[in-house]
Amino acid sequence: MRKALEFQGVHKSFGQNSALVDAFFSAHWGEVHALLGENGAGKSTLMNIASGLYAPDKGLVKISDKPVIIDGPQAANDFGVGMIHQHFKLVENMTVLENIVLAHGQGGWRKSLQRVRKQISDISNEIGFDIDPDAQVNTLSVSEQQRTEIIKVLIGGAKILILDEPTAVLTDEESTGLLDQLQIFAEQGKCIILITHKLREVFSHANRVTVMRGGKTIDSGQSPKNLTPEKLSKLMVGEPTEISRISYSPPKETVLELNGIFSKRDNGHTALDNFNLKLNAGQVYGLAGVGGNGQTELAEILMGVRSMNSGEFILSGTPLTNPSPSRVRALGLTCVPAERYIYGLAGDLSVMDNCVITHLKSGQFGTFFWTNRRAINKETKQAIIDSEIHGAEPSTRARLLSGGNAQKLVLARELAGSATVLLAHSPTRGLDVRACTAVHEALRKSASNGTAVLLLSEDLDEIFAISDQIGVINNGRLVGEFNSPADRSKIGHLMVSHH
C-alpha cells in the first residue's frame, strides 16, 4: 500500500521548549490511521506541519512518496491535505455558507454561494449532519461549529483528511456515524488520520495506530488487532491508567434551582424551553444531550453572560434576575467553560496571571493597590507541578499552551477554591486518558467536599463515569432524569428522540 503522508526525523521547537524531537510517522492511502499520545506529546504540532501552519526546524515531509515543502495552508490544500482543528478556524460574524465560500469559493461570490449551498446540503445528508447554511457561526453550539469544519474540509476536496479529536463533542450515535463515514472515505482511497484519545475508536475504526510521547514517536504503524487497551494506554502514558468508581452519598440541601427557564438564541430561535433543574450539595449531576440542544445557552446563563427571557434562577437560596458574572461568583458558582479561550483564559496574559485572576478579590495575594507577585509566582509554580501543565512556566503566555494543557490551567484555577456550585462544561474535551482521570477525580473530590457539580457533556462515557444522577436535555427541555446506574440505551434514545 502506497504512503500518503510521511514524516522523517522531524524537529520543532517553540523558544526553549521542544515540541517534536526526531519524530517519524507514515500513513497510507486507503486507511484510517489513529495518532495517539498525551497532551503535549506533539500530535497536533506534527499535523500542523502537514496543514501548513508550522514549518519544521529539521526533517523531511513526503506526500505520495515525494519530498514536499508545505509553506502555508494554501500549499497544504493544493497537496490535498485538509485538517479539522481542535480549535475551529471559522469567522464568527459570518454564516456557515459564507465561511465555506471564503475557503473554497470559485467563479464569483454569487455563483460560489449557489454551488456551495448545494454541496453543504449533499454532504450533510450523506453524513447525517443537520446544519443551517444561513446560520451565523457565533450562534452555533460547539458541536455545530465542528460539523461546519468537517463539511468545509470535505468540500475543499481533501484527499488526506486529518481530524483532531473530531468526536469530542458528538454523541455515541453521531460519533459512530462519522467514523463509519471516514472508513468509507478510506475505502474510496483517501487517507484518514484520526487524532483521538478514545481508545474504543482506535479498536473499532482504525487500520493502524501511531503513539507519541514527549515529542517522540514511541510506536508506529501497528494494527490495533495486535494491541489491547491496557498495552495502548501504557504506550501513551507510560503506565496503565484506571478510573476508580465514584462513592455515592445521599443528596444534601438544594443549592441551585432553575424553574421554567426560557431563553432564545441570538438568531431568535428557542434555546431553552421551560427548562427545570434542581442541584443538591455533594452530588455530581450529569446533563447529557446532543450538541445544540441548549447546553451552551444554559451554561452562559449560569455564568452570567447571557440573559434569560423568563423563569426562576435561585442560587444559594438567592433569587437572581439575569445576574452578572461577578454576582454568580460571589454566590459561590465557579465554571470550567467549554470554550476555554473565550470564557476561561486571556490568551495574551501569562500563565501566572490566568492562574490567580479569579482569586484576587479574596485578598490572598494582597490588595487592589499592591499584589504579592512572589506569592503568586510560587502558587502558580505549584499549580503547574500539581496539574502537570506541560510546557508551562509562570511567564508563559496562555495562548502558547496546547489545548489540553490550557484546560488543565483552567481546572487548576477553578478547583483551587471552595465553591458551592461547580459548572463543568465538557471539562475533558481534548484531554488524554490520564488527564481525564485526573479531572474526573477532581470533580468527585469537589462533590465529596460538599460542592454541587453540574457536568454538561456530550460524552456519555464521561457522564456515566462520575455522575450519581443523570438528566437528558433535548430541544431545550429536561426530558428525563435517572439515578445511577442508569440504562445507557434509554438515555441515548431520549437524546436523539424528537420532543
Side-chain angles (χ1 to χ4, degrees):
M1 192 176 292
R2 292 173 55 238
K3 294 178 181 178
L5 177 65
E6 184 177 6
F7 294 91
Q8 295 179 1
V10 173
H11 293 250
K12 182 65 180 177
S13 296
F14 298 95
Q16 299 299 315
N17 296 321
S18 295
L20 296 173
V21 181
D22 196 29
F24 58 93
F25 173 89
S26 67
H28 296 161
W29 295 113
E31 75 169 356
V32 176
H33 194 119
L35 181 58
L36 302 183
E38 290 189 271
N39 298 121
K43 309 178 304 297
S44 295
T45 301
L46 190 67
M47 291 303 130
N48 279 333
I49 290 174
S51 66
L53 291 182
Y54 298 153
D57 299 332
K58 181 181 176 182
L60 186 64
V61 182
K62 291 183 177 182
I63 292 180
S64 293
D65 296 319
K66 296 179 180 179
V68 297
I69 296 176
I70 305 175
D71 56 5
Q74 185 56 54
N77 190 68
D78 293 341
F79 284 119
V81 179
M83 182 169 178
I84 299 158
H85 297 268
Q86 187 175 334
H87 300 291
F88 310 133
K89 312 296 182 183
L90 298 170
V91 182
E92 292 194 350
N93 61 355
M94 297 178 71
T95 67
V96 170
L97 177 61
E98 290 167 345
N99 265 277
I100 297 176
V101 170
L102 188 64
H104 304 299
Q106 294 178 351
W109 184 258
R110 182 168 294 182
K111 287 185 178 180
S112 292
L113 289 173
Q114 295 173 349
R115 176 178 58 82
V116 172
R117 183 184 293 276
K118 183 178 186 306
Q119 289 176 316
I120 292 173
S121 176
D122 291 344
I123 291 178
S124 295
N125 290 334
E126 183 180 3
I127 298 178
F129 285 173
D130 182 15
I131 289 290
D132 178 5
D134 297 312
Q136 196 158 298
V137 167
N138 60 13
T139 68
L140 300 179
S141 69
V142 174
S143 63
E144 289 169 326
Q145 291 183 40
Q146 187 181 57
R147 294 169 196 169
T148 300
E149 285 280 25
I150 292 171
I151 291 172
K152 183 176 74 173
V153 171
L154 293 175
I155 287 177
K159 295 180 180 178
I160 299 173
L161 187 59
I162 304 166
L163 302 100
D164 194 351
E165 300 290 344
T167 64
V169 292
L170 304 180
T171 64
D172 285 0
E173 186 173 343
E174 289 174 320
S175 297
T176 301
L178 173 62
L179 293 169
D180 287 346
Q181 186 61 52
L182 294 178
Q183 278 190 325
I184 292 173
F185 291 153
E187 291 168 1
Q188 293 170 348
K190 290 183 172 65
C191 172
I192 309 298
I193 300 170
L194 182 66
I195 303 174
T196 180
H197 292 113
K198 298 179 179 179
L199 299 186
R200 69 174 183 275
E201 295 180 357
V202 176
F203 289 101
S204 64
H205 288 84
N207 302 105
R208 294 192 303 145
V209 57
T210 292
V211 180
M212 297 185 69
R213 189 167 74 236
K216 300 179 181 180
T217 304
I218 302 300
D219 195 82
S220 179
Q222 282 209 57
S223 169
K225 295 178 182 178
N226 300 327
L227 297 166
T228 64
E230 293 75 21
K231 288 182 180 179
L232 201 51
S233 178
K234 189 171 183 178
L235 284 171
M236 288 172 61
V237 302
E239 59 188 48
T241 303
E242 295 181 359
I243 297 177
S244 59
R245 294 187 176 276
I246 188 170
S247 298
Y248 301 111
S249 57
K252 302 175 183 177
E253 70 276 10
T254 299
V255 293
L256 173 66
E257 192 168 355
L258 302 175
N259 297 312
I261 301 295
F262 182 83
S263 178
K264 290 188 175 181
R265 294 191 174 97
D266 296 337
N267 61 7
H269 295 168
T270 299
L272 295 172
D273 184 9
N274 193 32
F275 183 82
N276 301 287
L277 180 70
K278 185 178 290 186
L279 195 61
N280 300 315
Q283 80 168 146
V284 178
Y285 187 106
L287 188 62
V290 177
N293 276 278
Q295 300 97 315
T296 298
E297 290 77 16
L298 173 62
E300 290 174 348
I301 288 172
L302 294 175
M303 288 189 292
V305 298
R306 175 178 290 273
S307 298
M308 55 186 184
N309 296 91
S310 62
E312 190 176 36
F313 177 3
I314 303 173
L315 176 60
S316 298
T318 303
L320 300 171
T321 303
N322 297 325
S324 65
S326 59
R327 178 60 172 155
V328 294
R329 276 194 172 272
L331 289 171
L333 190 148
T334 61
C335 176
V336 178
E339 290 291 350
R340 60 185 74 103
Y341 285 111
I342 296 177
Y343 299 121
L345 293 172
D348 286 329
L349 293 184
S350 68
V351 169
M352 183 169 70
D353 291 335
N354 276 281
C355 191
V356 301
I357 194 168
T358 60
H359 304 303
L360 292 176
K361 281 189 176 182
S362 68
Q364 178 182 356
F365 302 108
T367 68
F368 283 109
F369 303 102
W370 174 82
T371 55
N372 188 339
R373 302 291 290 182
R374 181 175 296 179
I376 293 174
N377 187 68
K378 181 179 179 181
E379 186 80 10
T380 303
K381 285 184 175 179
Q382 193 60 50
I384 290 171
I385 294 171
D386 292 343
S387 300
E388 298 183 346
I389 306 174
H390 300 299
E393 296 289 340
S395 60
T396 303
R397 288 190 180 184
R399 61 180 171 81
L400 297 179
L401 299 177
S402 68
N405 286 305
Q407 185 73 320
K408 289 179 184 179
L409 175 58
V410 176
L411 283 160
R413 183 187 66 213
E414 297 301 313
L415 295 174
S418 58
T420 303
V421 176
L422 174 61
L423 169 63
H425 191 181
S426 301
T428 61
R429 181 185 174 205
L431 300 189
D432 55 66
V433 176
R434 182 162 59 181
C436 287
T437 302
V439 170
H440 291 162
E441 294 293 352
L443 295 178
R444 293 172 186 169
K445 184 177 179 181
S446 292
S448 67
N449 290 335
T451 300
V453 178
L454 176 58
L455 172 63
L456 308 184
S457 178
E458 287 88 11
D459 186 344
L460 272 184
D461 287 339
E462 179 167 66
I463 293 284
F464 276 83
I466 63 172
S467 304
D468 49 15
Q469 189 174 18
I470 299 172
V472 181
I473 186 171
N474 190 325
N475 285 330
R477 294 189 177 192
L478 187 69
V479 295
E481 283 188 316
F482 304 83
N483 291 325
S484 187
D487 187 318
R488 189 183 184 108
S489 62
K490 288 182 179 179
I491 289 176
H493 177 72
L494 286 175
M495 288 170 61
V496 299
S497 298
H498 296 285
H499 292 271

mmCIF file of all heavy atoms in Angstrom, residues 300-327:
data_model
loop_
_atom_site.group_PDB
_atom_site.id
_atom_site.type_symbol
_atom_site.label_atom_id
_atom_site.label_comp_id
_atom_site.label_asym_id
_atom_site.label_seq_id
_atom_site.Cartn_x
_atom_site.Cartn_y
_atom_site.Cartn_z
ATOM 1 N N GLU A 300 -24.138 29.602 29.645
ATOM 2 C CA GLU A 300 -23.944 31.052 29.595
ATOM 3 C C GLU A 300 -24.845 31.779 30.586
ATOM 4 O O GLU A 300 -24.444 32.777 31.194
ATOM 5 C CB GLU A 300 -24.186 31.559 28.172
ATOM 6 C CG GLU A 300 -23.100 31.118 27.196
ATOM 7 C CD GLU A 300 -23.404 31.494 25.757
ATOM 8 O OE1 GLU A 300 -24.556 31.904 25.470
ATOM 9 O OE2 GLU A 300 -22.499 31.388 24.915
ATOM 10 N N ILE A 301 -26.069 31.281 30.782
ATOM 11 C CA ILE A 301 -26.965 31.869 31.790
ATOM 12 C C ILE A 301 -26.377 31.685 33.177
ATOM 13 O O ILE A 301 -26.334 32.619 33.986
ATOM 14 C CB ILE A 301 -28.377 31.248 31.692
ATOM 15 C CG1 ILE A 301 -29.087 31.743 30.421
ATOM 16 C CG2 ILE A 301 -29.205 31.588 32.935
ATOM 17 C CD1 ILE A 301 -30.396 31.031 30.150
ATOM 18 N N LEU A 302 -25.903 30.473 33.460
ATOM 19 C CA LEU A 302 -25.337 30.205 34.782
ATOM 20 C C LEU A 302 -24.068 31.013 35.028
ATOM 21 O O LEU A 302 -23.793 31.416 36.162
ATOM 22 C CB LEU A 302 -25.045 28.711 34.929
ATOM 23 C CG LEU A 302 -26.268 27.790 34.941
ATOM 24 C CD1 LEU A 302 -25.839 26.334 34.974
ATOM 25 C CD2 LEU A 302 -27.173 28.099 36.137
ATOM 26 N N MET A 303 -23.294 31.275 33.984
ATOM 27 C CA MET A 303 -22.077 32.072 34.128
ATOM 28 C C MET A 303 -22.364 33.567 34.226
ATOM 29 O O MET A 303 -21.485 34.342 34.565
ATOM 30 C CB MET A 303 -21.135 31.823 32.944
ATOM 31 C CG MET A 303 -20.478 30.463 32.955
ATOM 32 S SD MET A 303 -19.187 30.312 31.685
ATOM 33 C CE MET A 303 -20.144 30.348 30.177
ATOM 34 N N GLY A 304 -23.586 33.971 33.877
ATOM 35 C CA GLY A 304 -23.935 35.379 33.930
ATOM 36 C C GLY A 304 -23.586 36.154 32.680
ATOM 37 O O GLY A 304 -23.516 37.393 32.722
ATOM 38 N N VAL A 305 -23.390 35.458 31.558
ATOM 39 C CA VAL A 305 -23.039 36.150 30.321
ATOM 40 C C VAL A 305 -24.180 36.114 29.298
ATOM 41 O O VAL A 305 -24.019 36.616 28.187
ATOM 42 C CB VAL A 305 -21.751 35.560 29.687
ATOM 43 C CG1 VAL A 305 -20.582 35.748 30.628
ATOM 44 C CG2 VAL A 305 -21.924 34.090 29.329
ATOM 45 N N ARG A 306 -25.316 35.539 29.656
ATOM 46 C CA ARG A 306 -26.494 35.532 28.783
ATOM 47 C C ARG A 306 -27.735 35.771 29.629
ATOM 48 O O ARG A 306 -27.866 35.224 30.728
ATOM 49 C CB ARG A 306 -26.619 34.210 28.027
ATOM 50 C CG ARG A 306 -27.902 34.091 27.193
ATOM 51 C CD ARG A 306 -27.971 32.787 26.426
ATOM 52 N NE ARG A 306 -26.997 32.769 25.350
ATOM 53 C CZ ARG A 306 -27.215 33.251 24.121
ATOM 54 N NH1 ARG A 306 -28.391 33.811 23.825
ATOM 55 N NH2 ARG A 306 -26.278 33.183 23.199
ATOM 56 N N SER A 307 -28.665 36.572 29.104
ATOM 57 C CA SER A 307 -29.911 36.850 29.809
ATOM 58 C C SER A 307 -30.948 35.781 29.476
ATOM 59 O O SER A 307 -31.015 35.303 28.346
ATOM 60 C CB SER A 307 -30.454 38.225 29.407
ATOM 61 O OG SER A 307 -29.558 39.252 29.772
ATOM 62 N N MET A 308 -31.748 35.423 30.474
ATOM 63 C CA MET A 308 -32.878 34.528 30.217
ATOM 64 C C MET A 308 -34.110 35.393 29.975
ATOM 65 O O MET A 308 -34.248 36.485 30.546
ATOM 66 C CB MET A 308 -33.090 33.582 31.401
ATOM 67 C CG MET A 308 -33.279 34.256 32.732
ATOM 68 S SD MET A 308 -33.351 33.050 34.086
ATOM 69 C CE MET A 308 -33.702 34.158 35.475
ATOM 70 N N ASN A 309 -34.995 34.919 29.122
ATOM 71 C CA ASN A 309 -36.199 35.687 28.799
ATOM 72 C C ASN A 309 -37.239 35.601 29.901
ATOM 73 O O ASN A 309 -37.966 36.564 30.162
ATOM 74 C CB ASN A 309 -36.783 35.202 27.473
ATOM 75 C CG ASN A 309 -35.843 35.445 26.306
ATOM 76 O OD1 ASN A 309 -35.033 34.596 25.972
ATOM 77 N ND2 ASN A 309 -35.916 36.615 25.698
ATOM 78 N N SER A 310 -37.306 34.455 30.552
ATOM 79 C CA SER A 310 -38.219 34.298 31.681
ATOM 80 C C SER A 310 -37.791 33.071 32.472
ATOM 81 O O SER A 310 -37.002 32.253 32.011
ATOM 82 C CB SER A 310 -39.669 34.140 31.201
ATOM 83 O OG SER A 310 -39.821 32.974 30.403
ATOM 84 N N GLY A 311 -38.348 32.954 33.682
ATOM 85 C CA GLY A 311 -38.035 31.813 34.529
ATOM 86 C C GLY A 311 -37.429 32.230 35.847
ATOM 87 O O GLY A 311 -37.199 33.421 36.116
ATOM 88 N N GLU A 312 -37.149 31.244 36.695
ATOM 89 C CA GLU A 312 -36.644 31.481 38.041
ATOM 90 C C GLU A 312 -35.272 30.830 38.202
ATOM 91 O O GLU A 312 -35.099 29.649 37.930
ATOM 92 C CB GLU A 312 -37.631 30.890 39.050
ATOM 93 C CG GLU A 312 -37.351 31.266 40.489
ATOM 94 C CD GLU A 312 -38.410 30.726 41.438
ATOM 95 O OE1 GLU A 312 -38.907 29.598 41.184
ATOM 96 O OE2 GLU A 312 -38.742 31.418 42.414
ATOM 97 N N PHE A 313 -34.303 31.634 38.652
ATOM 98 C CA PHE A 313 -32.910 31.204 38.840
ATOM 99 C C PHE A 313 -32.567 31.478 40.304
ATOM 100 O O PHE A 313 -32.447 32.621 40.718
ATOM 101 C CB PHE A 313 -32.023 32.001 37.875
ATOM 102 C CG PHE A 313 -30.534 31.726 37.987
ATOM 103 C CD1 PHE A 313 -30.000 30.779 38.856
ATOM 104 C CD2 PHE A 313 -29.648 32.432 37.183
ATOM 105 C CE1 PHE A 313 -28.638 30.554 38.931
ATOM 106 C CE2 PHE A 313 -28.271 32.217 37.255
ATOM 107 C CZ PHE A 313 -27.778 31.283 38.125
ATOM 108 N N ILE A 314 -32.425 30.381 41.084
ATOM 109 C CA ILE A 314 -32.140 30.519 42.518
ATOM 110 C C ILE A 314 -30.796 29.866 42.807
ATOM 111 O O ILE A 314 -30.595 28.680 42.558
ATOM 112 C CB ILE A 314 -33.242 29.853 43.370
ATOM 113 C CG1 ILE A 314 -34.608 30.451 43.046
ATOM 114 C CG2 ILE A 314 -32.938 30.016 44.852
ATOM 115 C CD1 ILE A 314 -35.770 29.737 43.714
ATOM 116 N N LEU A 315 -29.858 30.656 43.320
ATOM 117 C CA LEU A 315 -28.516 30.177 43.628
ATOM 118 C C LEU A 315 -28.210 30.462 45.094
ATOM 119 O O LEU A 315 -28.305 31.605 45.542
ATOM 120 C CB LEU A 315 -27.483 30.875 42.726
ATOM 121 C CG LEU A 315 -26.010 30.566 42.980
ATOM 122 C CD1 LEU A 315 -25.725 29.074 42.793
ATOM 123 C CD2 LEU A 315 -25.128 31.394 42.042
ATOM 124 N N SER A 316 -27.877 29.420 45.823
ATOM 125 C CA SER A 316 -27.570 29.529 47.259
ATOM 126 C C SER A 316 -28.699 30.233 48.010
ATOM 127 O O SER A 316 -28.460 31.061 48.900
ATOM 128 C CB SER A 316 -26.250 30.285 47.454
ATOM 129 O OG SER A 316 -25.180 29.594 46.867
ATOM 130 N N GLY A 317 -29.945 29.923 47.626
ATOM 131 C CA GLY A 317 -31.105 30.493 48.284
ATOM 132 C C GLY A 317 -31.453 31.900 47.853
ATOM 133 O O GLY A 317 -32.431 32.480 48.348
ATOM 134 N N THR A 318 -30.710 32.472 46.903
ATOM 135 C CA THR A 318 -30.927 33.849 46.455
ATOM 136 C C THR A 318 -31.541 33.869 45.068
ATOM 137 O O THR A 318 -30.929 33.386 44.109
ATOM 138 C CB THR A 318 -29.600 34.624 46.425
ATOM 139 O OG1 THR A 318 -28.994 34.582 47.717
ATOM 140 C CG2 THR A 318 -29.831 36.069 46.009
ATOM 141 N N PRO A 319 -32.759 34.419 44.902
ATOM 142 C CA PRO A 319 -33.354 34.560 43.566
ATOM 143 C C PRO A 319 -32.554 35.578 42.747
ATOM 144 O O PRO A 319 -32.189 36.645 43.245
ATOM 145 C CB PRO A 319 -34.776 35.073 43.845
ATOM 146 C CG PRO A 319 -35.028 34.762 45.281
ATOM 147 C CD PRO A 319 -33.696 34.855 45.959
ATOM 148 N N LEU A 320 -32.295 35.245 41.492
ATOM 149 C CA LEU A 320 -31.484 36.101 40.626
ATOM 150 C C LEU A 320 -32.237 36.415 39.335
ATOM 151 O O LEU A 320 -32.942 35.562 38.800
ATOM 152 C CB LEU A 320 -30.160 35.428 40.280
ATOM 153 C CG LEU A 320 -29.236 35.057 41.451
ATOM 154 C CD1 LEU A 320 -28.074 34.210 40.951
ATOM 155 C CD2 LEU A 320 -28.728 36.309 42.142
ATOM 156 N N THR A 321 -32.058 37.639 38.863
ATOM 157 C CA THR A 321 -32.630 38.041 37.584
ATOM 158 C C THR A 321 -31.498 38.520 36.688
ATOM 159 O O THR A 321 -30.978 39.626 36.862
ATOM 160 C CB THR A 321 -33.671 39.165 37.747
ATOM 161 O OG1 THR A 321 -34.690 38.725 38.656
ATOM 162 C CG2 THR A 321 -34.298 39.527 36.419
ATOM 163 N N ASN A 322 -31.091 37.672 35.773
ATOM 164 C CA ASN A 322 -30.006 37.986 34.842
ATOM 165 C C ASN A 322 -28.796 38.594 35.555
ATOM 166 O O ASN A 322 -28.411 39.743 35.314
ATOM 167 C CB ASN A 322 -30.511 38.935 33.749
ATOM 168 C CG ASN A 322 -31.612 38.288 32.916
ATOM 169 O OD1 ASN A 322 -31.585 37.080 32.671
ATOM 170 N ND2 ASN A 322 -32.577 39.077 32.496
ATOM 171 N N PRO A 323 -28.171 37.842 36.452
ATOM 172 C CA PRO A 323 -27.049 38.365 37.232
ATOM 173 C C PRO A 323 -25.778 38.511 36.390
ATOM 174 O O PRO A 323 -25.643 37.912 35.324
ATOM 175 C CB PRO A 323 -26.848 37.296 38.301
ATOM 176 C CG PRO A 323 -27.293 36.035 37.627
ATOM 177 C CD PRO A 323 -28.448 36.434 36.750
ATOM 178 N N SER A 324 -24.840 39.293 36.891
ATOM 179 C CA SER A 324 -23.550 39.467 36.240
ATOM 180 C C SER A 324 -22.626 38.315 36.622
ATOM 181 O O SER A 324 -22.873 37.596 37.599
ATOM 182 C CB SER A 324 -22.908 40.786 36.684
ATOM 183 O OG SER A 324 -22.611 40.726 38.077
ATOM 184 N N PRO A 325 -21.530 38.107 35.870
ATOM 185 C CA PRO A 325 -20.568 37.060 36.244
ATOM 186 C C PRO A 325 -20.018 37.244 37.654
ATOM 187 O O PRO A 325 -19.829 36.260 38.380
ATOM 188 C CB PRO A 325 -19.461 37.213 35.190
ATOM 189 C CG PRO A 325 -20.156 37.784 33.997
ATOM 190 C CD PRO A 325 -21.193 38.708 34.555
ATOM 191 N N SER A 326 -19.761 38.482 38.060
ATOM 192 C CA SER A 326 -19.223 38.720 39.401
ATOM 193 C C SER A 326 -20.245 38.371 40.470
ATOM 194 O O SER A 326 -19.888 37.903 41.560
ATOM 195 C CB SER A 326 -18.774 40.173 39.545
ATOM 196 O OG SER A 326 -19.860 41.063 39.324
ATOM 197 N N ARG A 327 -21.526 38.556 40.167
ATOM 198 C CA ARG A 327 -22.580 38.247 41.140
ATOM 199 C C ARG A 327 -22.690 36.749 41.369
ATOM 200 O O ARG A 327 -22.783 36.288 42.527
ATOM 201 C CB ARG A 327 -23.916 38.793 40.631
ATOM 202 C CG ARG A 327 -25.127 38.506 41.526
ATOM 203 C CD ARG A 327 -24.974 39.091 42.900
ATOM 204 N NE ARG A 327 -26.201 38.973 43.688
ATOM 205 C CZ ARG A 327 -26.248 38.951 45.007
ATOM 206 N NH1 ARG A 327 -25.121 39.032 45.708
ATOM 207 N NH2 ARG A 327 -27.392 38.852 45.634
#
